[in-house]
Amino acid sequence: AGGGRLLDRIRKWYYNAAGFNKLGLMRDDTLHEDDDVKEALKRLPEHLYNERVFRIKRALDLSLKHQILPRDQWVKYEEDHRYLEPYLKEVIRERHEREAWNKK
């Protein structure tokens, strides 16, 4: 149990050290937009997509101004959820299935 708490503390430290949360971004907002991610984004519900666009635009604005959000507005490790992950897993599974089918 002690090792799990240590690992969790390291994850939290790394999450904060990365810095994207200080701009109001979530982990999934920072994914490189390859073909799989682009397809997963198309499948997002409209409200999730709009929230993502808002976070990214706000982060770009802050970055241009060389500013960060006030500490109370930073995305916390515990609040960051992988909103894109289920859609991305589905896209990747479909791509692998299609590739396997095409090999036959």
Side-chain angles (χ1 to χ4, degrees):
R5 284 195 302 263
L6 177 62
L7 190 57
D8 198 43
R9 287 188 5 218
I10 292 170
R11 284 185 185 130
K12 287 180 186 179
W13 173 84
Y14 184 78
Y15 182 86
N16 285 316
F20 58 82
N21 64 319
K22 297 171 185 166
L23 298 172
L25 294 172
M26 295 180 153
R27 254 182 309 213
D28 283 357
D29 297 336
T30 65
L31 292 175
H32 173 70
E33 289 191 21
D34 60 13
D35 291 337
D36 291 338
V37 172
K38 287 177 184 176
E39 181 59 35
L41 287 171
K42 290 178 187 176
R43 298 179 184 195
L44 273 178
E46 187 176 1
H47 75 281
L48 288 177
Y49 182 78
N50 290 339
E51 290 170 3
R52 173 189 167 88
V53 169
F54 171 79
R55 287 190 303 270
I56 292 172
K57 284 184 177 185
R58 178 179 58 185
L60 286 171
D61 184 54
L62 288 166
S63 181
L64 287 171
K65 295 176 182 176
H66 300 283
Q67 296 176 345
I68 60 172
L69 289 171
R71 190 174 188 94
D72 64 329
Q73 294 180 31
W74 292 3
V75 177
K76 293 165 190 58
Y77 176 80
E78 299 79 15
E79 296 171 352
D80 192 334
H81 61 283
R82 306 294 298 257
Y83 66 90
L84 192 59
E85 187 173 17
Y87 302 95
L88 187 56
K89 282 182 178 180
E90 181 180 316
V91 167
I92 292 169
R93 182 188 56 75
E94 289 174 1
R95 180 173 48 82
H96 287 157
E97 192 175 300
R98 211 172 20 258
E99 288 169 355
W101 178 261
N102 289 335
K103 285 182 182 178
K104 291 183 179 182

